[in-house]
Amino acid sequence: MKITYLGHSAFIIETLGKRLIVDPFISPNPLAQQALQQHPDRQEVLDPRKIQADYILLTHGHQDHMADAEAIGKQNDAMLISSFEVVTWFAEKGLKGHPLNHGGKVSMPFGSLKYVNAVHSSSLPDGSYAGNPGGFVLWNEEGCLYIAGDTALTQDMKLIPMTCPKLTAAILPIGDNFTMGYEEAVIASDFIECSQIIGCHYDTFGYIEIDHEAAKKAFQDKGKTLHLLSIGQEHHL
Ligand code: NI
Ligand code: MN
């Protein structure tokens, strides 16, 4: 399973010959655009017009998670997977989709995918109700990955090791203010019984700027690793 960081909470996951894009917020993200200028060779992952994807996973309806979803979905005829309400909203714009709701899982050509609880809010740019926000657990023979989405620390995270295969890694928000901060993400990593954490939802805006060294040390002190990927960087599970 190959994971490429696109900035903020956006990732491309390549597994079993399929490409999934998670929470695409690339063209409005100044850090992603800066990275693209510095590394024109990363166009394939940082220019939404060039991004190839078979599936789009949206954790919730906020703009900083779905800004490029419609364009990427249309140019690839990609399948959107999200909450029932988010999938229905995008269906009206012509995107094909598969709806999920909390606690449900589905078998897809890229593996099993379960929609799990997140404590946050969710609404679409026009004010439409987006259902409750969520996260995903994705697993197949290449590994098991938890994508938390925007969330507070929650006891529900303890259900993940009880209901899913052993996690290989987890993508957790660490930027504080709108989600848990890194100190609580360390506790979350205990709840989900995972020691390989990939940080997201930090540094994009002033509200969520973090001290990278302090965040890494907080995990190190517990014998865990926090990976802070640069935009465009790949990580192999
Ligand atoms: Ni959000
Ligand atoms: Mn967000």
Side-chain angles (χ1 to χ4, degrees):
M1 207 180 280
K2 184 169 100 178
I3 298 172
T4 308
Y5 186 47
L6 311 185
H8 201 51
S9 291
F11 292 86
I12 287 176
I13 298 169
E14 290 166 79
T15 188
L16 301 188
K18 301 290 178 195
R19 277 168 80 88
L20 287 62
I21 187 160
V22 181
D23 286 356
F25 170 74
I26 303 150
S27 53
N29 179 355
L31 298 185
Q33 292 319 303
Q34 212 179 313
L36 177 58
Q37 275 168 11
Q38 285 163 359
H39 308 277
D41 55 308
R42 293 179 183 173
Q43 271 185 29
E44 262 175 36
V45 292
L46 294 178
D47 181 347
R49 293 166 303 181
K50 304 242 161 72
I51 290 177
Q52 293 182 346
D54 303 302
Y55 298 88
I56 302 171
L57 273 53
L58 298 184
T59 58
H60 62 297
H62 287 159
Q63 185 72 12
D64 62 315
H65 297 257
M66 50 69 90
D68 294 307
E70 185 180 347
I72 293 171
K74 285 185 174 164
Q75 79 210 11
N76 290 281
D77 193 28
M79 176 181 280
L80 172 69
I81 307 177
S82 187
S83 71
F84 173 78
E85 290 80 1
V86 170
V87 166
T88 303
W89 192 80
F90 276 103
E92 284 169 16
K93 299 181 180 298
L95 259 62
K96 63 182 184 190
H98 181 98
L100 287 171
N101 216 326
H102 301 84
K105 65 176 183 300
V106 61
S107 179
M108 285 280 169
F110 56 80
S112 295
L113 187 72
K114 186 176 171 79
Y115 193 60
V116 297
N117 294 352
V119 173
H120 190 65
S121 59
S122 187
S123 57
L124 287 151
D126 62 0
S128 294
Y129 176 61
N132 285 314
F136 296 98
V137 184
L138 161 64
W139 68 90
N140 59 33
E141 53 267 43
E142 293 182 350
C144 182
L145 176 70
Y146 171 42
I147 302 158
D150 282 6
T151 185
L153 176 66
T154 163
Q155 293 273 358
D156 285 350
M157 290 168 174
K158 292 181 180 173
L159 297 172
I160 290 171
M162 296 169 69
T163 56
C164 300
K166 169 96 184 119
L167 290 173
T168 317
I171 297 174
L172 301 181
I174 57 170
D176 221 324
N177 195 85
F178 297 118
T179 67
M180 60 185 173
Y182 63 81
E183 302 92 336
E184 293 188 0
V186 173
I187 301 171
S189 73
D190 285 340
F191 285 4
I192 60 175
E193 299 174 13
C194 185
S195 60
Q196 294 296 317
I197 306 300
I198 299 163
C200 74
H201 217 273
Y202 65 95
D203 284 359
T204 318
F205 327 109
Y207 288 137
I208 60 173
E209 278 172 16
I210 64 160
D211 178 337
H212 291 207
E213 291 316 309
K216 286 185 194 167
K217 185 171 183 308
F219 281 86
Q220 250 165 31
D221 288 349
K222 298 278 184 180
K224 303 189 184 221
T225 307
L226 175 66
H227 301 274
L228 297 180
L229 305 178
S230 63
I231 297 178
Q233 190 182 343
E234 295 172 0
H235 182 84
H236 294 259
L237 291 198

mmCIF file of all heavy atoms in Angstrom, residues 8 59-65 120-123 133 149-151 178-179 201, ligand 1:
data_model
loop_
_atom_site.group_PDB
_atom_site.id
_atom_site.type_symbol
_atom_site.label_atom_id
_atom_site.label_comp_id
_atom_site.label_asym_id
_atom_site.label_seq_id
_atom_site.Cartn_x
_atom_site.Cartn_y
_atom_site.Cartn_z
ATOM 1 N N HIS A 8 -2.704 19.072 3.837
ATOM 2 C CA HIS A 8 -3.891 19.108 4.690
ATOM 3 C C HIS A 8 -4.353 17.688 5.052
ATOM 4 O O HIS A 8 -3.629 16.996 5.765
ATOM 5 C CB HIS A 8 -4.993 19.951 4.044
ATOM 6 C CG HIS A 8 -6.006 20.425 5.050
ATOM 7 N ND1 HIS A 8 -5.647 21.059 6.205
ATOM 8 C CD2 HIS A 8 -7.371 20.336 5.070
ATOM 9 C CE1 HIS A 8 -6.738 21.345 6.902
ATOM 10 N NE2 HIS A 8 -7.789 20.909 6.235
ATOM 11 N N THR A 59 -14.398 12.070 4.028
ATOM 12 C CA THR A 59 -14.762 11.800 5.430
ATOM 13 C C THR A 59 -15.969 12.636 5.856
ATOM 14 O O THR A 59 -16.744 12.219 6.696
ATOM 15 C CB THR A 59 -13.585 12.117 6.375
ATOM 16 O OG1 THR A 59 -13.212 13.496 6.215
ATOM 17 C CG2 THR A 59 -12.390 11.221 6.076
ATOM 18 N N HIS A 60 -16.111 13.846 5.279
ATOM 19 C CA HIS A 60 -17.254 14.699 5.590
ATOM 20 C C HIS A 60 -17.353 15.806 4.551
ATOM 21 O O HIS A 60 -16.546 15.866 3.626
ATOM 22 C CB HIS A 60 -17.183 15.235 7.032
ATOM 23 C CG HIS A 60 -16.010 16.107 7.347
ATOM 24 N ND1 HIS A 60 -14.704 15.672 7.289
ATOM 25 C CD2 HIS A 60 -15.951 17.404 7.743
ATOM 26 C CE1 HIS A 60 -13.904 16.665 7.639
ATOM 27 N NE2 HIS A 60 -14.638 17.733 7.915
ATOM 28 N N GLY A 61 -18.342 16.685 4.725
ATOM 29 C CA GLY A 61 -18.673 17.625 3.656
ATOM 30 C C GLY A 61 -17.955 18.963 3.689
ATOM 31 O O GLY A 61 -18.239 19.822 2.858
ATOM 32 N N HIS A 62 -17.053 19.185 4.637
ATOM 33 C CA HIS A 62 -16.412 20.496 4.715
ATOM 34 C C HIS A 62 -15.503 20.759 3.510
ATOM 35 O O HIS A 62 -14.842 19.849 3.005
ATOM 36 C CB HIS A 62 -15.616 20.626 6.021
ATOM 37 C CG HIS A 62 -16.491 20.797 7.239
ATOM 38 N ND1 HIS A 62 -16.058 20.528 8.508
ATOM 39 C CD2 HIS A 62 -17.777 21.213 7.340
ATOM 40 C CE1 HIS A 62 -17.052 20.780 9.364
ATOM 41 N NE2 HIS A 62 -18.101 21.179 8.677
ATOM 42 N N GLN A 63 -15.478 22.027 3.151
ATOM 43 C CA GLN A 63 -14.736 22.489 1.971
ATOM 44 C C GLN A 63 -13.266 22.044 1.979
ATOM 45 O O GLN A 63 -12.710 21.695 0.947
ATOM 46 C CB GLN A 63 -14.827 24.034 1.941
ATOM 47 C CG GLN A 63 -14.237 24.697 0.734
ATOM 48 C CD GLN A 63 -15.077 24.500 -0.523
ATOM 49 O OE1 GLN A 63 -16.215 24.052 -0.452
ATOM 50 N NE2 GLN A 63 -14.502 24.813 -1.672
ATOM 51 N N ASP A 64 -12.641 22.069 3.163
ATOM 52 C CA ASP A 64 -11.213 21.726 3.218
ATOM 53 C C ASP A 64 -10.981 20.219 3.104
ATOM 54 O O ASP A 64 -9.863 19.732 3.353
ATOM 55 C CB ASP A 64 -10.554 22.284 4.488
ATOM 56 C CG ASP A 64 -11.125 21.728 5.773
ATOM 57 O OD1 ASP A 64 -12.368 21.642 5.891
ATOM 58 O OD2 ASP A 64 -10.345 21.360 6.673
ATOM 59 N N HIS A 65 -12.046 19.485 2.688
ATOM 60 C CA HIS A 65 -11.919 18.033 2.459
ATOM 61 C C HIS A 65 -12.468 17.620 1.097
ATOM 62 O O HIS A 65 -12.198 16.512 0.648
ATOM 63 C CB HIS A 65 -12.622 17.246 3.579
ATOM 64 C CG HIS A 65 -11.976 17.494 4.894
ATOM 65 N ND1 HIS A 65 -11.123 16.598 5.508
ATOM 66 C CD2 HIS A 65 -11.979 18.598 5.696
ATOM 67 C CE1 HIS A 65 -10.659 17.125 6.625
ATOM 68 N NE2 HIS A 65 -11.158 18.343 6.762
ATOM 69 N N HIS A 120 -17.174 15.518 15.253
ATOM 70 C CA HIS A 120 -16.868 16.745 14.502
ATOM 71 C C HIS A 120 -18.209 17.281 14.008
ATOM 72 O O HIS A 120 -19.247 16.944 14.598
ATOM 73 C CB HIS A 120 -15.920 16.350 13.337
ATOM 74 C CG HIS A 120 -15.304 17.480 12.589
ATOM 75 N ND1 HIS A 120 -14.419 18.358 13.150
ATOM 76 C CD2 HIS A 120 -15.431 17.860 11.289
ATOM 77 C CE1 HIS A 120 -14.031 19.238 12.222
ATOM 78 N NE2 HIS A 120 -14.644 18.956 11.091
ATOM 79 N N SER A 121 -18.236 18.083 12.969
ATOM 80 C CA SER A 121 -19.487 18.533 12.356
ATOM 81 C C SER A 121 -19.366 18.292 10.861
ATOM 82 O O SER A 121 -18.304 17.897 10.370
ATOM 83 C CB SER A 121 -19.729 20.017 12.663
ATOM 84 O OG SER A 121 -18.653 20.783 12.158
ATOM 85 N N SER A 122 -20.446 18.495 10.142
ATOM 86 C CA SER A 122 -20.387 18.267 8.699
ATOM 87 C C SER A 122 -21.534 18.993 8.017
ATOM 88 O O SER A 122 -22.691 18.824 8.393
ATOM 89 C CB SER A 122 -20.467 16.767 8.386
ATOM 90 O OG SER A 122 -20.256 16.524 7.009
ATOM 91 N N SER A 123 -21.209 19.819 7.031
ATOM 92 C CA SER A 123 -22.248 20.430 6.202
ATOM 93 C C SER A 123 -21.598 20.735 4.864
ATOM 94 O O SER A 123 -20.377 20.851 4.771
ATOM 95 C CB SER A 123 -22.778 21.709 6.844
ATOM 96 O OG SER A 123 -21.722 22.611 7.064
ATOM 97 N N PRO A 133 -20.160 13.317 10.359
ATOM 98 C CA PRO A 133 -18.824 13.071 9.797
ATOM 99 C C PRO A 133 -18.310 11.703 10.211
ATOM 100 O O PRO A 133 -18.776 11.134 11.199
ATOM 101 C CB PRO A 133 -17.992 14.182 10.436
ATOM 102 C CG PRO A 133 -18.655 14.425 11.744
ATOM 103 C CD PRO A 133 -20.129 14.235 11.501
ATOM 104 N N GLY A 149 -10.207 11.091 9.637
ATOM 105 C CA GLY A 149 -10.989 12.276 9.286
ATOM 106 C C GLY A 149 -10.815 13.336 10.358
ATOM 107 O O GLY A 149 -9.933 13.244 11.217
ATOM 108 N N ASP A 150 -11.649 14.358 10.326
ATOM 109 C CA ASP A 150 -11.599 15.391 11.364
ATOM 110 C C ASP A 150 -12.313 14.823 12.581
ATOM 111 O O ASP A 150 -13.499 14.488 12.510
ATOM 112 C CB ASP A 150 -12.332 16.650 10.903
ATOM 113 C CG ASP A 150 -11.519 17.493 9.940
ATOM 114 O OD1 ASP A 150 -10.427 17.052 9.545
ATOM 115 O OD2 ASP A 150 -11.992 18.589 9.580
ATOM 116 N N THR A 151 -11.624 14.753 13.689
ATOM 117 C CA THR A 151 -12.283 14.230 14.883
ATOM 118 C C THR A 151 -11.578 14.672 16.155
ATOM 119 O O THR A 151 -10.377 14.955 16.153
ATOM 120 C CB THR A 151 -12.378 12.678 14.846
ATOM 121 O OG1 THR A 151 -13.137 12.213 15.970
ATOM 122 C CG2 THR A 151 -11.012 12.004 14.853
ATOM 123 N N PHE A 178 -9.559 22.704 15.407
ATOM 124 C CA PHE A 178 -10.757 22.130 14.778
ATOM 125 C C PHE A 178 -10.861 20.624 15.027
ATOM 126 O O PHE A 178 -11.892 20.012 14.732
ATOM 127 C CB PHE A 178 -10.737 22.356 13.264
ATOM 128 C CG PHE A 178 -10.781 23.801 12.859
ATOM 129 C CD1 PHE A 178 -9.739 24.371 12.145
ATOM 130 C CD2 PHE A 178 -11.873 24.598 13.186
ATOM 131 C CE1 PHE A 178 -9.772 25.699 11.752
ATOM 132 C CE2 PHE A 178 -11.924 25.923 12.799
ATOM 133 C CZ PHE A 178 -10.866 26.477 12.088
ATOM 134 N N THR A 179 -9.773 20.021 15.460
ATOM 135 C CA THR A 179 -9.713 18.573 15.707
ATOM 136 C C THR A 179 -8.880 18.374 16.975
ATOM 137 O O THR A 179 -8.423 19.347 17.568
ATOM 138 C CB THR A 179 -8.993 17.833 14.557
ATOM 139 O OG1 THR A 179 -7.610 18.237 14.558
ATOM 140 C CG2 THR A 179 -9.623 18.127 13.197
ATOM 141 N N HIS A 201 -3.999 17.405 8.821
ATOM 142 C CA HIS A 201 -4.788 18.537 9.331
ATOM 143 C C HIS A 201 -3.963 19.435 10.261
ATOM 144 O O HIS A 201 -4.379 19.766 11.364
ATOM 145 C CB HIS A 201 -6.062 18.029 10.043
ATOM 146 C CG HIS A 201 -7.258 18.909 9.827
ATOM 147 N ND1 HIS A 201 -7.532 19.994 10.612
ATOM 148 C CD2 HIS A 201 -8.251 18.878 8.901
ATOM 149 C CE1 HIS A 201 -8.652 20.581 10.181
ATOM 150 N NE2 HIS A 201 -9.100 19.925 9.146
HETATM 151 NI NI NI B 1 -14.064 19.533 9.035
#
